[in-house]
Amino acid sequence: MEIAAIAGLTVAAAFLAVVLRQHKPEFALAVGLMAGIVILAVCLRKAAPALGSLSDLLNAASLPAEYGAALFKALGVCLLTQLASDACSDAGEKALAAKAELAGKLAMLLIALPLFEKVAEMAVSLMNGQAVSG
């Protein structure tokens, strides 16, 4: 991964944000948010082959497509929640950061709920002595 470039961008953005915070705090927030988005985009672009491999593994395991979809949705929720929370924290809004994290946790619960239902159905089937299907 282009870690040196990412580290350089991060340090430059942090320095610029510190300088701007003294005169134009709203611009400092914008610099931090934009740098975060660019870094996230670079990381996702670099991680795309690994995510493709993970998708291939899920397909090879003959798992239902909903499992892979839930995994990728959860990953997206985690990344967006972290970005929103960090942006709120940078703006000095700790309460809003906490609310963003709470929203992310609830979104994760909603994503996982159908999977929990499947596990419960399998457990009931096993207890009743029935064969378990996908």
Side-chain angles (χ1 to χ4, degrees):
M1 189 177 283
E2 303 157 346
I3 191 65
I6 291 171
L9 173 64
T10 304
V11 170
F15 178 75
L16 184 58
V18 167
V19 171
L20 286 173
R21 189 166 286 122
Q22 297 170 358
H23 304 289
K24 295 279 189 177
E26 62 276 8
F27 290 155
L29 176 61
V31 165
L33 189 56
M34 291 306 295
I37 290 170
V38 168
I39 291 167
L40 181 61
V42 168
C43 289
L44 287 176
R45 184 174 49 87
K46 291 294 185 180
L51 295 176
S53 296
L54 182 58
S55 180
D56 293 342
L57 285 172
L58 289 171
N59 289 334
S62 299
L63 293 173
E66 66 184 304
Y67 295 167
L71 178 67
F72 290 119
K73 284 179 188 177
L75 177 61
V77 166
C78 288
L79 293 172
L80 290 174
T81 299
Q82 187 68 49
L83 183 65
S85 177
D86 289 346
C88 291
S89 293
D90 289 347
E93 296 293 335
K94 300 287 185 195
L96 284 177
K99 302 307 180 277
E101 291 173 6
L102 176 62
K105 291 171 186 173
L106 289 174
M108 293 288 287
L109 178 63
L110 292 175
I111 290 169
L113 193 56
L115 301 178
F116 288 137
E117 289 173 350
K118 287 251 187 223
V119 169
E121 288 173 11
M122 284 186 208
V124 168
S125 295
L126 288 172
M127 286 190 286
N128 292 332
Q130 299 171 356
V132 178
S133 60

